[in-house]
Amino acid sequence: MAEILAVGEAMERALALLAGGDVVAIPTETVYGLAGDATNGVGVARIFEAKGRPRFNPLIAHVADLAMAERIARFDPLSEKLARAFWPGPLTLVLPQRPGNGIHPLVTAGLDTIALRMPRGFGGELIARLGHPLAAPSANSSGKISATTAEAVAADLGSRIKLVVDGGATPVGLESTIVKVEAGTLRLLRPGGVAAEEIEAAVGMKLLRGAVAGIEAPGMLASHYAPGAAMRLNAEKVEAGEALLAFGGRRAEGWQAVVALKNLSVSGDLREAAANLFAYMQDLDRSGAKTIAVEPIPFDGLGEAINDRLSRAAAPRDIIPSET
Ligand code: TXA
Ligand code: MG
């Protein structure tokens, strides 16, 4: 079983594992990541293996500072403005790679672009000490809900990895927002921990939406983040035997009879709801209810990313295999 060490005591052990081409689960401000040295093919391959990821999807390379990022990818004035406004933080930028940047091709699945992000906290320190970027998808087995606590990581991946660094519950609770910068335009590939409106306000331009050709962010496949129970969204009424994922002060009709109930945010705060989302989905899943009914959640701000994750969790499971 994986050892769980608190952030204050984990640094040396994490460095030794990464330097040896092994993987380590680390806290970030969004969700826990399963990290490997992005320049070491063995380390990167172990990430896919530990997750049981069926295909080699591109991973996000995490950097310690802007200088490291600029050695890996080409920044134009727009991407630099975004990095300065939101890093460290839950924004991932997809940018053209610099040839010879040392990133192992498994990280980018052979693409000529790369997804870069500068995480807050322990991850940033670890990357600076290692001196190499870390490839890190969410620390969950393929198709499962992303982990927002060290305990959730250990319960899922504990038999397959050696170390989980415990930084407590992740404050944002949703994966990063992914934006592709291309020829002076910005395309939203995945809504996430920074609201689209915030990005638009920072750069004074609208985000384009929808992938251009095929799947731009393969992790965005329809069925994803799937709990064992079925999910029923925008529930105004609860059916017999259902669990209820609530939001705000007004309850869906019939709520008194639910098998289990969790309220994402009693006050209707979308940040609080985002931070609670994955852990509460897991809690309700453990209640044994066949279906989790979800009350309507507004689409503004972080509501876009919350609704995105909920609709993936609710998607039919047998159409496309989940990938991240
Ligand atoms: O908050 C996060 O982003 C977390 C933490 C650990 O940093 N990481 C995360 O990684 O969510 P992952 O692997 O679960 O999702 C990465 C997404 C995938 O949907 C992948 O397809 C997309 O990023 N991606 C990676 N490189 C890309 C590229 N060059 N072009 C387009 N999409 C890319
Ligand atoms: Mg994931």
Side-chain angles (χ1 to χ4, degrees):
M1 275 311 276
E3 191 178 355
I4 302 183
L5 292 176
V7 284
E9 54 185 16
M11 184 60 78
E12 302 309 321
R13 175 96 174 105
L15 283 169
L17 285 168
L18 292 168
D22 218 325
V23 297
V24 177
I26 58 166
T28 83
E29 75 279 39
T30 57
V31 297
Y32 276 74
L34 185 61
D37 182 339
T39 66
N40 182 330
V42 173
V44 180
R46 282 203 174 122
I47 296 174
F48 290 101
E49 198 183 356
K51 281 180 67 87
R53 208 172 196 172
R55 237 179 50 193
F56 291 143
N57 282 334
L59 304 175
I60 297 171
H62 296 70
V63 297
D65 49 45
L66 198 52
M68 185 182 270
E70 286 179 342
R71 287 195 293 275
I72 298 172
R74 285 208 191 85
F75 281 70
D76 64 6
L78 187 55
S79 22
E80 193 165 324
K81 191 169 181 184
L82 283 170
R84 289 192 190 283
F86 293 102
W87 283 1
L91 176 69
T92 294
L93 296 173
V94 174
L95 300 169
Q97 286 204 69
R98 272 186 205 286
N101 59 12
I103 298 289
H104 194 276
L106 254 185
V107 174
T108 56
L111 296 172
D112 53 14
T113 55
I114 185 160
L116 287 180
R117 161 165 130 73
M118 188 193 300
R120 278 188 213 134
F122 179 83
E125 275 170 59
L126 180 64
I127 297 159
R129 285 281 308 275
L130 185 69
H132 289 169
L134 288 177
S138 47
N140 52 278
S141 32
S142 186
K144 293 268 178 66
I145 296 170
S146 297
T148 56
T149 62
E151 293 74 24
V153 178
D156 181 4
L157 299 177
S159 62
R160 281 173 266 162
I161 65 177
K162 296 187 183 123
L163 176 63
V164 181
V165 181
D166 188 352
T170 58
V172 176
L174 288 175
E175 300 83 352
S176 60
T177 302
I178 305 181
V179 168
K180 184 171 187 179
V181 186
E182 199 174 34
T185 64
L186 299 178
R187 183 173 296 276
L188 180 67
L189 297 185
R190 175 176 79 181
V194 181
E197 295 92 320
E198 263 185 86
I199 298 171
E200 291 175 337
V203 292
M205 63 193 281
K206 280 274 174 201
L207 296 181
L208 306 173
R209 280 150 195 267
V212 260
I215 296 166
E216 278 268 355
M220 302 309 294
L221 291 173
S223 170
H224 194 44
Y225 309 102
M231 306 272 295
R232 194 166 65 78
L233 307 189
N234 298 312
E236 304 281 0
K237 195 167 172 255
V238 188
E239 311 290 339
E242 287 184 334
L244 180 64
L245 188 59
F247 177 81
R250 223 189 100 239
R251 288 291 64 72
E253 207 181 307
W255 68 271
Q256 296 87 344
V258 294
V259 173
L261 186 152
K262 284 277 181 183
N263 195 330
L264 290 169
S265 171
V266 175
S267 66
D269 179 278
L270 289 165
R271 270 180 205 283
E272 185 185 9
N276 289 331
L277 180 66
F278 292 143
Y280 285 6
M281 277 166 65
Q282 284 171 329
D283 285 348
L284 293 181
D285 206 15
R286 277 194 288 269
S287 75
K290 281 211 174 59
T291 303
I292 300 171
V294 186
E295 291 183 354
I297 293 167
F299 274 81
D300 55 307
L302 291 185
E304 180 177 11
I306 295 171
N307 278 292
D308 172 84
R309 303 306 188 270
L310 285 170
S311 59
R312 283 168 211 291
R317 311 283 156 78
D318 51 353
I319 297 180
I320 312 171
S322 311
E323 299 246 340
T324 58

